[in-house]
Amino acid sequence: MTITSTVKIGADLIDISKPCDVVTALKKMQLKLAVGGVRETVRIDGEEVTFMRANDRRLASLIAHYESECARLGSGKKRSRFAKRFRFT
């Protein structure tokens, strides 16, 4: 039995060994949740109930985790500014 490292997030098939790709897919999912894009409708005896599945706090912590993993790998590193010192003698 082989274990694959790909997972489906929304409509995207993502390799979880690439944290930067996971961050992008999770952020897309967070946007869908924020605008109400994930809904389920249940019909029981002529009545209709719509549910929205969202756990934004947990999703935000997942995004933070994968952002730190991405930054640790160096591909998500932000460029920092620095100054060089010199003297005239």
Side-chain angles (χ1 to χ4, degrees):
M1 182 173 133
T2 61
I3 298 175
T4 180
S5 65
T6 57
V7 66
K8 189 169 184 175
I9 300 175
D12 301 326
L13 194 60
I14 304 298
D15 184 2
I16 60 171
S17 64
K18 298 178 182 175
C20 296
D21 293 347
V22 175
V23 168
T24 303
L26 288 174
K27 284 185 177 182
K28 284 172 55 177
M29 196 66 200
Q30 187 179 38
L31 284 173
K32 279 185 179 181
L33 286 171
V35 298
V38 180
R39 297 181 184 180
E40 287 187 30
T41 303
V42 179
R43 292 188 182 118
I44 301 172
D45 295 332
E47 289 191 35
E48 187 174 293
V49 180
T50 301
F51 295 97
M52 293 182 65
R53 293 181 291 152
N55 189 344
D56 194 50
R57 234 179 297 143
R58 182 152 187 223
L59 189 56
S61 71
L62 273 174
I63 290 171
H65 168 74
Y66 279 103
E67 278 180 335
S68 68
E69 288 293 315
C70 180
R72 188 176 61 82
L73 290 176
S75 59
K77 194 181 264 186
K78 293 182 180 178
R79 183 178 173 164
S80 60
R81 298 181 68 185
F82 61 94
K84 292 185 178 180
R85 295 183 183 185
F86 63 93
R87 291 186 191 179
F88 291 105
T89 55

